[in-house]
Amino acid sequence: MAEVEETLKRIQSQKGVQGILIVNAEGIPIKTTLDSSNTAQYAGLIHQLVMKARSTVREIDPQNDLTFLRIRSKKNEIMIAPDKDYFLIVIQNPSD
Amino acid sequence: MSTRRPKSRARVDSKGKEKKPDASPSGSVAGSGHPDDVFPLTLTSATQELFGCRCDEDVTADKPFKLLRKEDVLHDMRISSAVSDFSPVKQLVLDYPADELLLAYDRDLIYGSNFYLVLTVEAKDRHLKSLEAVGGEEALEPETSDLFTAQNTPEPKSWISLGSEKEIDEESVTDSRPRLKYRISRVRRAFGAPIRFSDRNAAETKDGYIECTPYQDKNFILKQMKRHCGVQAIPNFKSSSTQTRWTYPKNMCTQYEPREFSEEEKENCLLSKELKHFINLVGSRFDVAIQKNEIMDVFLDDWKALSEEDTSYGGKADTHLKEYQSFTDLHHSKDKTISSISWHPTINGVIAVAVTERLSFEDRINAFNKLLLNPSVILFWSFSDPINPQLLLECPDDVFSFEFCPSDPNIIVGGCMNGQVVLWDISAHVERLQGTRSSGEKKITANNNKLQGFEDKRENETSLVRYCAVSSIEHGHKAPITDIQWLPETFEVSRMGVPMENMNGICVQIVTCAPDCCVMFWDIRAPRVAAQTLADQKMQKVEEKPLENPHGAPNTFKHLKLTWKPLAKVSLPNMDTSGEYSPLKISLRDNTCDYHTAINADRAQLNAEGSDLAPDYSLLRMPSAKQHKPLEDICTQFYAGTEDGEIVYTDWKLEKDDSGRIFSTKPSHHFIIHDGLVNTVRRSPFFKDIILTVGGWTIAIWKEGVMNGPIIHSSCQKKCTVGYWSPSRPAVFFIGMEDGNIEVWDLLEKTHEPSQTQNITDTQITCIKPWVISSKQHLLAVSDHLGSLHILEIPWTLRRPSRNEKLSVDTYFEKEVDRLVYFEKRTEMRAKEKKNMEADELRKKMETILPEKTEKQISEEAKKEYDDHLSLEKVILKDMGLQPDTDNMADI
């Protein structure tokens, strides 16, 4: 638990990070630093996207798997690291 | 055997037939159906008895004929001339050649009567002959006549040739010539001889064979060119049916919410091992990714970013300030100068200028009497009418500064030369000002003193509005008011200078400064002095009659008239010496004049438009000190620029000293920077703590909080008279010079000289005020000493901020602050160093006197030398920037 906290704190303290989210494999948020409505929104939408991305990668090559997904938008960047059971989502505003 | 036929008919028939093809003159059948030579007669019984031809007695079917004598008939006809039966045939009988006439009994009424008369001899003969033949036949076969009574075998008659024998002759075959006879003989020997056959080619001899080639006989090729064909088209019909289920709409609703874990579940998850493992695995990826983002923005298109900045440098042609319009009034601005400009905050295209006399102090005293007769005015110009001012505000004396009230643009406050504060209310004339901007239709303003008949005349004249309130002379300033500002509606100031919360939501207080070393706060609400006067005033306000007011000024500030005193008076005592500073311009941190940026302009307009109802100022009351709560975050310190070219930073809060007297604190800082009187102290609209001061030949930029000195200090070629920040570009400000030039300074380009200079007029520029009309149009109002107002259009390059301009300017200022700090440190350093050096020299001198140097002394000296050397080294290294110490010399 402490390690988890420590890692999250380390990531949170980086420059430009706006929020962190841990979501389980079904899309239910477990831990978050954003407010609840944003959390629910991000969890639901990103879960679907990651499923799609993962299935895409695996279809092209079944032995491949998705390790990291970065979505760069005008205002910020969303980074997602998927795993078997959980996702970790970090939202960063890079250009500041 | 022929069937029974009446004799007469048979005869008649054959006769008829014979007669038809023969065309003999006696054979034509008359129209009545009987032959010509036979005439039907009806004989009465009397006549029948006379002539002996009674029916069925004398004349029967077998013997139908009776011969009559012609004379008898004629006799009968003579006797009974008209009624004779023979009358119709009278002429015929007369013509009859023979003596005897044949009368035939027509038993079967073939001709329509019971008798008929045969008219011609031949016919008579014929008839008789036939009768005989018939009679003869009958006599021959009497037996057969019993069985076949009427049957008679037809007897062949003589054949009458009708030309058919010719055809028969043609068809028949007869010898046309006698037949030829041939006799052929041959030797007997030749008969019965053996036959010898031989072959012979058919083609050898000519005509050895006759070919009979087959050919297609064209007669037998039939081409059917046309054929009738019948077609019937029928539609294809098919019947089918289907049964559908009727679905009708039903309202349904669902409600969903995202799935969430309960707290315990979350805790469980967080504590699980998998999560720990996952985080460890994944954390490093994030670190790398985030740091990469920080280091460099991979998606930044450098080429595009470069090009955008280029466009702001290029296009030199468009950096000129274009003259948009120019206003000069011949009546009012003749021999006068404009001291102050102010744009109308809400109505686009309306600008007000304060016109003052262009005289020095002595001349003013001399011309005092004349001046009284010409009242000073503030002119309102509108873009639609460059010749006539729209409105004139009458002032008690020359106005050096005036401002529109931000929350109610109909209220204008001005500071006069004699130290009075004047208030005007132009609500009655606002439509006129607005009307000139829109269509040319002018509405009749509610000027109270107009009579009905003279309305039209009044409209065309510029109306003169008298001030509605003026401060009392004894309590006001003793010197011309050089700066006047409205306090923002967010706070108000109490008697002690403590900022309080403003309950009204509108601007109610004014701050003024004058070279009489005072800064005063004024309140436009009625003072809480006596309840009586309030009640009186209230009553007066209720029964407001226009005729009570002789000058036509509105009654908005009647409560202030003649009794208006300042709320608080702040003096600026001198820091070092006794005496005071004489401020010319002040700048508060939370003020209303400086923050008109391009963005705020729209918001201000919206705010102004929202509150259409003018607040009733006479009903506003100043609150008691207990009601209000003081606001902590209002900065009560302000900058003041003085007549001597000093910048003073002081606090307006008043304090009570031991004896209970209210006095002002001494300013915290003062700087002697400018070499002339300070004519501008302005905050940047983008940075609340950056102040521009202009005075004499120099301009300075200050940062509030940095008390070492100005962060930027530059000089101009000529004397600067006025300055103002650009409302849209954080790094740009405009300076007006005494030779009529406008200098455009761009801090990001050059700080030692202006980036652009442009001459506007011949004389010195007295005031500059930029204004944002729309995002496409920024105007700069420039007034000169001769009294004309020029409106210039700011070109695109000076309007549009470059990319991250604010950021760049901010960093630049920070850099400058650091430079200042470093500079200070360096001066200290220098001073110390100098002291050290002097000490060394002294010591050296002392050492030369003492010839002896003990070893200790030598070592001491050596050590000292070494120390000196070290310090020197440090200094040099610092100077060169090789020391990785706290000094930042690196550019960002």
Side-chain angles (χ1 to χ4, degrees):
Chain A
M1 174 69 174
E3 280 181 43
V4 167
E5 287 288 341
E6 193 196 305
T7 314
L8 292 180
K9 249 198 211 29
R10 199 180 71 235
I11 297 176
Q12 177 83 32
S13 64
Q14 300 260 22
K15 185 172 165 222
V17 171
Q18 284 173 343
I20 304 185
L21 200 55
I22 302 181
V23 177
N24 84 338
E26 291 172 2
I28 306 174
I30 293 176
K31 184 153 171 66
T32 171
T33 61
L34 301 166
D35 56 327
S36 74
S37 65
N38 269 334
T39 301
Q41 210 172 19
Y42 271 106
L45 295 169
I46 288 178
H47 173 253
Q48 292 176 31
L49 183 66
V50 170
M51 286 297 130
K52 194 75 178 179
R54 183 183 263 160
S55 74
T56 306
V57 169
R58 284 180 81 91
E59 241 184 81
I60 292 170
D61 178 10
Q63 285 165 354
N64 207 350
D65 196 6
L66 184 68
T67 50
F68 205 67
L69 184 63
R70 281 166 90 162
I71 303 163
R72 184 62 176 257
S73 72
K74 266 202 281 193
K75 293 189 186 170
N76 49 21
E77 177 159 354
I78 305 172
M79 290 172 267
I80 306 144
D83 188 54
K84 198 161 53 74
D85 314 310
Y86 301 98
F87 308 147
L88 180 62
I89 302 165
V90 173
I91 303 146
Q92 186 198 18
N93 193 350
S95 57
D96 249 345
Chain B
M1 286 301 236
S2 57
T3 53
R4 175 201 163 105
R5 257 193 284 170
K7 259 190 283 184
S8 54
R9 195 194 283 171
R11 273 184 220 125
V12 168
D13 283 347
S14 60
K15 225 186 269 173
K17 277 185 198 154
E18 285 164 19
K19 278 183 182 122
K20 272 176 196 153
D22 214 1
S24 57
S26 63
S28 61
V29 176
S32 56
H34 59 89
D36 269 351
D37 50 352
V38 163
F39 196 85
L41 272 176
T42 310
L43 295 173
T44 56
S45 46
T47 325
Q48 285 173 20
E49 277 179 21
L50 194 65
F51 284 97
C53 56
R54 285 183 290 249
C55 299
D56 293 334
E57 283 178 6
D58 294 341
V59 194
T60 60
D62 294 338
K63 281 172 46 177
F65 297 111
K66 180 88 177 170
L67 283 161
L68 302 173
R69 287 209 293 164
K70 192 173 166 185
E71 293 115 41
D72 291 342
V73 173
L74 286 169
H75 182 70
D76 181 51
M77 275 197 284
R78 258 182 256 122
I79 292 170
S80 48
S81 57
V83 295
S84 168
D85 293 334
F86 293 103
S87 54
V89 293
K90 184 181 174 181
Q91 188 58 42
L92 293 164
V93 168
L94 283 170
D95 288 342
Y96 192 75
D99 286 343
E100 287 182 344
L101 286 151
L102 180 66
L103 180 77
Y105 171 59
D106 193 357
R107 190 166 186 243
D108 291 338
L109 300 171
I110 295 165
Y111 296 116
S113 309
N114 46 7
F115 290 99
Y116 63 90
L117 191 70
V118 176
L119 297 171
T120 59
V121 180
E122 299 118 25
K124 183 181 89 175
D125 290 343
R126 229 184 300 136
H127 278 94
L128 285 169
K129 270 184 197 161
S130 62
L131 181 66
E132 281 170 12
V134 170
E137 258 184 30
E138 279 187 3
L140 282 172
E141 295 176 341
E143 295 137 5
T144 55
S145 66
D146 291 336
L147 290 170
F148 313 103
T149 47
Q151 268 186 352
N152 290 326
T153 56
E155 288 173 57
K157 299 178 195 76
S158 61
W159 183 70
I160 302 167
S161 164
L162 291 170
S164 56
E165 66 260 26
K166 281 184 206 146
E167 290 169 24
I168 294 167
D169 285 347
E170 279 171 23
E171 292 295 314
S172 61
V173 177
T174 52
D175 291 335
S176 56
R177 58 168 169 78
R179 294 185 179 204
L180 295 173
K181 280 189 186 163
Y182 284 99
R183 191 178 157 191
I184 303 165
S185 62
R186 201 168 162 199
V187 176
R188 194 172 176 275
R189 213 178 305 134
F191 290 100
I195 298 181
R196 264 186 252 127
F197 285 114
S198 63
D199 289 328
R200 186 190 69 165
N201 197 352
E204 272 177 22
T205 54
K206 196 178 160 195
D207 297 335
Y209 72 100
I210 292 182
E211 207 175 19
C212 197
T213 52
Y215 65 95
Q216 197 174 25
D217 194 355
K218 289 265 186 316
N219 295 331
F220 298 99
I221 300 172
L222 283 177
K223 249 197 228 166
Q224 194 166 19
M225 301 300 284
K226 253 205 232 172
R227 191 171 80 157
H228 283 274
C229 186
V231 173
Q232 179 168 13
I234 49 164
N236 236 353
F237 278 123
K238 197 164 96 162
S239 267
S240 69
S241 65
T242 167
Q243 173 99 25
T244 59
R245 207 153 39 112
W246 174 49
T247 52
Y248 52 93
K250 229 187 325 188
N251 279 338
M252 294 273 288
C253 64
T254 60
Q255 178 162 3
Y256 68 93
E257 58 177 31
R259 269 188 306 176
E260 274 181 1
F261 278 149
S262 65
E263 287 299 324
E264 298 110 36
E265 282 174 331
K266 278 192 196 167
E267 281 295 322
N268 284 342
C269 278
L270 283 171
L271 291 171
S272 66
K273 256 179 80 175
E274 289 101 17
L275 188 71
K276 214 189 292 185
H277 180 68
F278 162 69
I279 291 280
N280 287 338
L281 190 64
V282 144
S284 51
R285 287 184 212 155
F286 275 102
D287 283 335
V288 169
I290 291 174
Q291 277 165 14
K292 267 192 200 160
N293 275 343
E294 279 176 54
I295 294 168
M296 198 184 105
D297 187 6
V298 289
F299 295 102
L300 179 67
D301 191 350
D302 292 320
W303 179 246
K304 272 204 190 124
L306 195 67
S307 71
E308 218 179 306
E309 281 174 24
D310 262 347
T311 54
S312 67
Y313 285 124
K316 280 287 176 193
D318 202 31
T319 54
H320 211 65
L321 291 163
K322 287 191 218 62
E323 174 106 6
Y324 184 79
Q325 214 164 5
S326 177
F327 297 101
T328 315
D329 186 45
L330 299 166
H331 286 298
H332 299 282
S333 16
K334 199 172 172 196
D335 298 331
K336 291 200 186 176
T337 173
I338 295 178
S339 55
S340 178
I341 307 175
S342 193
W343 290 87
H344 197 288
T346 49
I347 305 176
N348 272 343
V350 173
I351 186 170
V353 293
V355 176
T356 57
E357 291 290 339
R358 217 189 313 158
L359 302 167
S360 69
F361 193 57
E362 274 181 34
D363 296 334
R364 234 177 241 275
I365 298 172
N366 293 340
F368 189 64
N369 296 329
K370 204 174 21 163
L371 286 174
L372 268 184
L373 297 172
N374 298 345
S376 336
V377 286
I378 293 179
L379 303 173
F380 272 71
W381 292 102
S382 164
F383 283 1
S384 54
D385 191 354
I387 303 169
N388 298 318
Q390 300 305 325
L391 204 58
L392 298 174
L393 300 181
E394 195 189 322
C395 332
D397 208 342
D398 280 348
V399 165
F400 276 100
S401 63
F402 70 100
E403 284 290 333
F404 285 88
C405 175
S407 53
D408 182 7
N410 294 333
I411 309 292
I412 304 155
V413 71
C416 297
M417 220 186 136
N418 54 8
Q420 280 182 313
V421 179
V422 190
L423 275 169
W424 289 274
D425 183 359
I426 56 163
S427 3
H429 304 272
V430 169
E431 282 112 34
R432 193 209 175 94
L433 288 174
Q434 279 169 342
T436 53
R437 270 322 271 165
S438 54
S439 63
E441 193 188 323
K442 284 192 186 152
K443 287 189 205 164
I444 298 168
T445 59
N447 199 335
N448 296 328
N449 280 347
K450 272 193 254 184
L451 301 173
Q452 285 295 17
F454 297 100
E455 272 164 33
D456 293 333
K457 253 202 250 168
R458 279 287 198 131
E459 243 180 52
N460 292 336
E461 283 177 19
T462 326
S463 30
L464 186 70
V465 179
R466 207 174 145 79
Y467 46 87
C468 43
V470 75
S471 66
S472 64
I473 298 184
E474 310 91 52
H475 300 284
H477 282 285
K478 309 281 186 290
I481 297 179
T482 49
D483 201 3
I484 187 164
Q485 291 174 18
W486 287 89
L487 285 179
E489 60 251 17
T490 47
F491 71 96
E492 59 178 59
V493 169
S494 70
R495 281 188 188 279
M496 289 297 288
V498 179
M500 309 275 216
E501 198 184 324
N502 186 349
M503 301 297 205
N504 303 101
I506 55 169
C507 297
V508 289
Q509 292 192 336
I510 305 158
V511 59
T512 62
C513 83
D516 64 347
C517 315
C518 277
V519 171
M520 293 192 186
F521 289 87
W522 304 77
D523 199 307
I524 61 173
R525 296 171 293 188
R528 295 167 50 86
V529 177
Q532 264 184 354
T533 45
L534 282 177
D536 286 350
Q537 281 158 14
K538 236 193 250 179
M539 276 172 54
Q540 267 190 352
K541 173 84 174 58
V542 163
E543 335 159 356
E544 189 180 279
K545 276 179 210 158
L547 294 171
E548 265 189 17
N549 215 331
H551 299 285
N555 295 331
T556 334
F557 295 107
K558 205 160 180 223
H559 52 275
L560 297 171
K561 230 174 186 157
L562 303 173
T563 59
W564 201 14
K565 280 198 293 199
L567 181 67
K569 198 164 157 179
V570 178
S571 64
L572 302 170
N574 205 316
M575 269 178 80
D576 308 320
T577 64
S578 69
E580 288 166 330
Y581 296 110
S582 46
L584 287 180
K585 297 278 178 187
I586 56 173
S587 171
L588 289 81
R589 195 182 169 99
D590 304 289
N591 62 20
T592 53
C593 352
D594 289 329
Y595 299 124
H596 288 297
T597 62
I599 313 150
N600 288 346
D602 300 322
R603 225 184 293 148
Q605 275 218 356
L606 283 171
N607 284 343
E609 277 164 21
S611 54
D612 282 325
L613 295 166
D616 205 351
Y617 290 101
S618 53
L619 294 177
L620 297 172
R621 297 283 171 260
M622 284 199 297
S624 68
K626 292 162 202 158
Q627 280 176 357
H628 269 184
K629 58 173 188 149
L631 291 174
E632 302 296 326
D633 53 350
I634 304 287
C635 177
T636 57
Q637 286 153 327
F638 63 96
Y639 279 88
T642 67
E643 264 182 322
D644 305 318
E646 292 166 330
I647 306 291
V648 178
Y649 189 61
T650 181
D651 195 330
W652 76 59
K653 270 203 285 244
L654 300 167
E655 282 172 6
K656 276 202 174 115
D657 68 354
D658 308 323
S659 58
R661 230 167 27 113
I662 300 173
F663 74 99
S664 322
T665 52
K666 283 210 170 174
S668 46
H669 300 90
H670 89 281
F671 310 93
I672 305 169
I673 290 291
H674 295 288
D675 35 4
L677 45 83
V678 175
N679 48 48
T680 307
V681 179
R682 287 258 170 237
R683 292 198 186 232
S684 167
F686 296 90
F687 304 101
K688 272 201 167 181
D689 50 358
I690 301 288
I691 300 117
L692 167 75
T693 57
V694 177
W697 277 265
T698 56
I699 56 172
I701 295 183
W702 307 80
K703 190 172 167 107
E704 197 166 357
V706 173
M707 290 304 147
N708 304 335
I711 52 177
I712 299 169
H713 190 197
S714 305
S715 62
C716 314
Q717 307 293 76
K718 298 270 174 72
K719 206 164 169 186
C720 323
T721 49
V722 71
Y724 210 95
W725 289 93
S726 159
S728 56
R729 290 194 64 184
V732 170
F733 54 90
F734 304 98
I735 303 287
M737 315 294 272
E738 63 170 0
D739 59 351
N741 283 349
I742 294 259
E743 290 187 351
V744 178
W745 288 69
D746 186 351
L747 288 173
L748 293 176
E749 213 183 312
K750 291 185 257 196
T751 54
H752 63 286
E753 57 172 23
S755 63
Q756 204 180 318
T757 314
Q758 185 176 342
N759 185 276
I760 306 290
T761 170
D762 295 331
T763 61
Q764 75 171 28
I765 292 184
T766 51
C767 195
I768 296 180
K769 278 269 167 72
W771 190 250
V772 177
I773 301 276
S774 67
S775 64
K776 295 254 164 66
Q777 194 178 37
H778 292 205
L779 298 176
L780 189 68
V782 175
S783 65
D784 65 7
H785 198 60
L786 287 175
S788 48
L789 174 69
H790 305 267
I791 311 284
L792 307 163
E793 197 169 338
I794 302 178
W796 186 83
T797 45
L798 292 175
R799 268 204 314 257
R800 193 183 167 285
S802 58
R803 256 167 66 95
N804 301 329
E805 187 167 323
K806 189 160 179 209
L807 200 63
S808 319
V809 171
D810 208 14
T811 45
Y812 177 68
F813 286 145
E814 273 171 31
K815 222 172 38 159
E816 290 296 319
V817 169
D818 294 334
R819 178 191 67 88
L820 260 182
V821 166
Y822 166 72
F823 195 68
E824 279 240 345
K825 280 206 195 125
R826 277 288 289 133
T827 39
E828 277 173 29
M829 194 90 242
R830 281 269 168 181
K832 231 196 287 178
E833 197 196 77
K834 200 170 176 191
K835 227 173 27 181
N836 284 345
M837 281 250 197
E838 279 172 7
D840 282 342
E841 272 188 34
L842 216 67
R843 233 173 276 125
K844 267 191 192 146
K845 277 189 192 150
M846 286 183 57
E847 274 168 23
T848 51
I849 297 168
L850 296 169
E852 269 187 355
K853 290 184 204 171
T854 58
E855 213 179 288
K856 209 174 166 191
Q857 275 184 339
I858 291 169
S859 65
E860 269 183 349
E861 277 172 29
K863 196 162 177 239
K864 236 179 264 169
E865 265 185 49
Y866 184 61
D867 284 336
D868 289 345
H869 167 76
L870 272 181
S871 61
L872 189 65
E873 188 190 39
K874 226 198 272 182
V875 162
I876 290 173
L877 284 175
K878 244 196 217 171
D879 208 11
M880 289 174 60
L882 294 172
Q883 194 91 332
D885 220 25
T886 56
D887 302 24
N888 323 346
M889 290 297 281
D891 288 328
I892 295 166

